[in-house]
Amino acid sequence: MTDLAIPGLRRLDFTTEKARARVRSRYRAEVRFKAYGLIAIGLTTLFILLVLADIIVRGTPAFFQYRLVLDVNVEQSEIDPQGTHDPAAIRAGDYSALVRNALRKIFPDVTDRAGRRLLDGIVSSGAADQLREMVVADPSLIGRTIKAPLLLSDDADLYFKGLGTSISRTAGRGIASPSGTTGDITILSSANDFSSDLVTIKRSLAKRARDLRAYAASLRRSAREVEAQGDDAQRLLAAAQAAGDAARVQSYTSQFTSYRAEAATLTRQAAEAEAVAADLQKRFENPSAEEAIGGNVPSVLVSIDGGMVKVTRLGNSQVSGRVLLPLTSSADAAPGTWSIVTFATPEDNRRVSDREVAWLEYLREHGLVERSFNWIFFTSGDSREPELAGIRGALVGSALTLLVTLFVCLPLGVAAAIYLEEFAPRNRFTEIIEVNINNLAAVPSIVFGLLGLAIFLNFLGLPRSAPLVGGLVLALLVLPTIIIASRAALKAVPPSIKEAALGVGASHQQAVFHHVLPLAMPGVMTGTIIGMSHALGETAPLLMIGMVAFIVEPAASITDAATVLPVQIYLWSALPEIAFQAKTAAAIMVLLVFLFIMNGTAIFLRRRFERRW
């Protein structure tokens, strides 16, 4: 058969070099497209892993806490002086005094008022409450000495976790000779053990000198600007005097005097800063000279002979300081038996003073500090004290709020989906309803909060900050999601099933509720769980209805004041304490676990009950 030439038909070229080049170009474009996709997936995964790793690193310390295990003498005179063994009298006892006495017994040398106040601040204000619960549960402990775990304060807890400042410990290389055991002493080392710390101090002096010079330069610039303004005021004053305008003369005279005084003050402050910077620079340029250590430079402590010395003057091989913990003896300390503890953050910028550090180190060295799981984080409500704050109130509030949301949105959402999909007539009215439902799914959540504020609080007068109102608002938020998911599940059921039910005599309603709906329930439940997980993570609408109250005790009903986990995270994130930052990350971890569980349940239900028709 001969080929026929068809007019207008273009002959394809597959053999020329130009055609092969086009094919190679398409293959390269496909490879680039796949590479772009892999890069996008890799970057997304990397960002998610970085966020999760940051949350885990920040939040993990909040799941553990340090406690003091002390021998506490439960004195009857403090707990039950009358010996009545009345539970109310036992509960009202002064357990704080017992904790203070047990702690001061370990440090009998702390006799000054300020020192005792610092020592008492090592333990938490809730330590006495824990001891009270032990004695109330077992009144036979009265009059006995018991080992009681006492909760540390947040600052002491952070110190043991290493979150307050970076700490370096260096074993002494030479023989250290202290001049005494108490008061102000000197320590002489046979080697230059303190040279590295002296270099650190010198460098900090150089940095302060640079900062002061920069500050002085800014003051000089400000002084020149003020002097220029004063010159302008002086020219205006001369013009006013020439014109004989008394009011303007008085005004410009006042301005000129003010500018000159301000310029003189700025110049004086700059000169003072420059003088201090010059002195610091001079001290830095003399590397072998001893340095005085104040509260604005890194702290140096010496642990020797069972005691602790705060260094106040530092040299290469000799230091002078104040004894924080008495030394057991003034005998020479062999190399490796004493150490130098250096804190990168100066004492003035730390929550834990050097004196408290000495006490905490003594307690740790003597085995009086234990690390345990932080059950308080899950069993306690919110608190102003970071070590006592927990998420129990937020968890209970979230559970009550989600229950209200579920009981409202599930029947309404499924009923609306069944009506729209199976019973509603196809007209313009139902089309408008469907369009509005789809649009509501994309409305910002804070709009639902405003709606709840206007209707549930202002119009209906429901209680503010209650799970009832929060559940109703979240039900409005997730209702479009449940309706859309339920309609999709109903559509996925083959029409032949309903037609078969109708063919054997079932009514339309019986066919839908007895046959179609049971087969669509896995999809309905999946959409419901996804909607509830969406509601669990919402914050903005709940803020609008006032669920930002400080809640100590968990809510007992849906009308009591409560908060939810996302709002609790928001409240803690605004607090400045480092311990609250760790608790914020830990609460985020708990919220993520709940979200993963709910989404995983949705995936399991979809795969377990999904049917392929």
Side-chain angles (χ1 to χ4, degrees), residues 159-198:
Y159 172 80
F160 286 124
K161 291 176 180 177
L163 300 179
T165 180
S166 59
I167 305 172
S168 62
R169 292 177 173 84
T170 306
R173 301 187 306 272
I175 299 175
S177 303
S179 62
T181 59
T182 59
D184 295 331
I185 66 172
T186 60
I187 300 175
L188 180 63
S189 172
S190 60
N192 291 334
D193 285 293
F194 308 104
S195 58
S196 59
D197 293 292
L198 184 59

Side-chain angles (χ1 to χ4, degrees), residues 459-593:
F459 182 72
L460 297 179
L462 295 178
R464 182 179 294 271
S465 189
L468 174 62
V469 180
L472 292 174
V473 171
L474 294 180
L476 295 176
L477 175 65
V478 302
L479 194 58
T481 302
I482 295 178
I483 294 175
I484 294 172
S486 300
R487 292 191 64 185
L490 292 171
K491 285 181 181 179
V493 178
S496 58
I497 294 178
K498 184 173 67 174
E499 293 171 358
L502 295 174
V504 296
S507 66
H508 189 191
Q509 179 179 349
Q510 289 174 330
V512 171
F513 284 94
H514 294 178
H515 299 279
V516 177
L517 182 59
L519 295 175
M521 281 307 296
V524 173
M525 296 308 299
T526 299
T528 302
I529 294 174
I530 293 176
M532 296 300 292
S533 64
H534 178 200
L536 178 62
E538 280 296 336
T539 305
L542 301 181
L543 294 177
M544 296 304 300
I545 62 171
M547 291 192 74
V548 291
F550 177 77
I551 305 299
V552 177
E553 295 296 330
S557 67
I558 60 175
T559 57
D560 293 340
T563 187
V564 293
L565 199 53
V567 175
Q568 187 68 75
I569 293 171
Y570 166 76
L571 294 175
W572 281 349
S573 65
L575 298 176
E577 288 89 346
I578 299 177
F580 274 123
Q581 296 176 13
K583 288 187 178 289
T584 300
I588 292 175
M589 293 171 63
V590 174
L591 179 62
L592 289 177
V593 168

Side-chain angles (χ1 to χ4, degrees), residues 10-326:
R10 188 181 64 172
R11 185 174 182 179
L12 298 178
D13 182 9
F14 294 103
T15 59
T16 64
E17 182 62 30
K18 187 175 181 181
R20 288 194 291 269
R22 288 198 300 269
V23 173
R24 289 194 298 269
S25 176
R26 289 199 298 270
Y27 288 159
R28 288 195 298 269
E30 183 177 355
V31 171
R32 286 196 301 271
F33 180 76
K34 291 182 179 179
Y36 295 154
L38 291 175
I39 291 173
I41 294 175
L43 289 176
T44 303
T45 305
L46 177 62
F47 292 150
I48 292 175
L49 291 177
L50 287 176
V51 171
L52 291 178
D54 181 69
I55 293 174
I56 292 173
V57 170
R58 292 176 181 270
T60 300
F63 293 105
F64 300 93
Q65 62 183 181
Y66 285 87
R67 298 171 180 265
L68 284 181
V69 183
L70 301 182
D71 292 329
V72 179
N73 184 12
V74 186
E75 303 175 21
Q76 185 171 352
S77 60
E78 298 287 353
I79 304 304
D80 190 12
Q82 305 299 327
T84 59
H85 295 285
D86 180 24
I90 294 175
R91 184 173 291 276
D94 190 1
Y95 292 89
S96 298
L98 300 182
V99 174
R100 291 195 300 269
N101 293 338
L103 194 58
R104 293 175 183 177
K105 185 177 179 180
I106 301 176
F107 302 102
D109 57 297
V110 181
T111 56
D112 58 297
R113 185 176 181 181
R116 287 192 169 185
R117 187 165 54 248
L118 277 178
L119 184 61
D120 295 340
I122 286 180
V123 295
S124 170
S125 59
D129 297 331
Q130 294 178 324
L131 182 60
R132 176 182 289 107
E133 296 302 324
M134 293 176 59
V135 177
V136 170
D138 186 7
S140 64
L141 298 177
I142 298 176
R144 296 164 50 188
T145 299
I146 62 174
K147 282 192 174 296
L150 304 176
L151 188 63
L152 287 167
S153 67
D154 61 315
D155 293 331
D157 183 66
L158 289 175
Y159 172 80
F160 286 124
K161 291 176 180 177
L163 300 179
T165 180
S166 59
I167 305 172
S168 62
R169 292 177 173 84
T170 306
R173 301 187 306 272
I175 299 175
S177 303
S179 62
T181 59
T182 59
D184 295 331
I185 66 172
T186 60
I187 300 175
L188 180 63
S189 172
S190 60
N192 291 334
D193 285 293
F194 308 104
S195 58
S196 59
D197 293 292
L198 184 59
V199 170
T200 302
I201 299 298
K202 296 288 186 180
R203 289 175 178 172
S204 68
L205 296 178
K207 182 180 181 302
R208 288 175 56 200
R210 290 194 300 270
D211 295 341
L212 283 173
R213 284 194 293 268
Y215 174 64
S218 66
L219 290 178
R220 295 284 187 188
R221 289 193 297 270
S222 300
R224 289 193 294 269
E225 293 174 359
V226 172
E227 287 177 352
Q229 294 174 348
D231 294 338
D232 294 338
Q234 187 177 22
R235 287 193 294 270
L236 294 174
L237 174 61
Q241 290 174 342
D245 190 340
R248 292 174 59 194
V249 168
Q250 182 178 1
S251 174
Y252 291 138
T253 301
S254 176
Q255 292 182 18
F256 174 72
T257 304
S258 175
Y259 286 140
R260 283 299 171 90
E262 183 179 359
T265 301
L266 292 173
T267 302
R268 187 187 73 256
Q269 292 175 350
E272 293 173 352
E274 289 170 349
V276 175
D279 179 65
L280 294 175
Q281 186 67 29
K282 183 178 179 181
R283 291 162 59 186
F284 168 72
E285 293 172 353
N286 188 1
S288 60
E290 293 185 354
E291 284 296 337
I293 299 181
N296 54 0
V297 296
S299 297
V300 179
L301 304 179
V302 178
S303 177
I304 182 173
D305 290 341
M308 186 78 71
V309 179
K310 174 181 171 58
V311 176
T312 56
R313 192 165 189 84
L314 179 69
N316 283 319
S317 59
Q318 177 177 314
V319 295
S320 302
R322 185 176 68 256
V323 175
L324 300 178
L325 283 179

Side-chain angles (χ1 to χ4, degrees), residues 367-497:
L368 301 178
V369 180
E370 67 173 12
R371 184 172 180 261
S372 61
F373 187 78
N374 187 9
W375 292 107
I376 293 178
F377 183 69
F378 295 96
T379 60
S380 175
D382 198 6
S383 174
R384 302 296 183 190
E385 303 295 333
E387 70 276 9
L388 300 176
I391 60 174
R392 181 186 174 192
L395 289 177
V396 173
S398 296
L400 293 175
T401 302
L402 289 181
L403 283 177
V404 174
T405 302
L406 182 63
F407 284 127
V408 172
C409 68
L410 180 58
L412 289 179
V414 175
I418 293 174
Y419 175 77
L420 291 174
E421 191 62 32
E422 299 291 344
F423 297 99
R426 297 292 180 256
N427 53 33
R428 184 173 297 275
F429 178 71
T430 55
E431 290 179 359
I432 293 175
I433 293 177
E434 291 177 357
V435 170
N436 282 312
I437 289 174
N438 293 329
N439 289 336
L440 283 175
V443 171
S445 59
I446 195 171
V447 176
F448 291 96
L450 294 172
L451 179 64
L453 175 64
I455 296 178
F456 300 130
L457 295 183
N458 296 338
F459 182 72
L460 297 179
L462 295 178
R464 182 179 294 271
S465 189
L468 174 62
V469 180
L472 292 174
V473 171
L474 294 180
L476 295 176
L477 175 65
V478 302
L479 194 58
T481 302
I482 295 178
I483 294 175
I484 294 172
S486 300
R487 292 191 64 185
L490 292 171
K491 285 181 181 179
V493 178
S496 58
I497 294 178

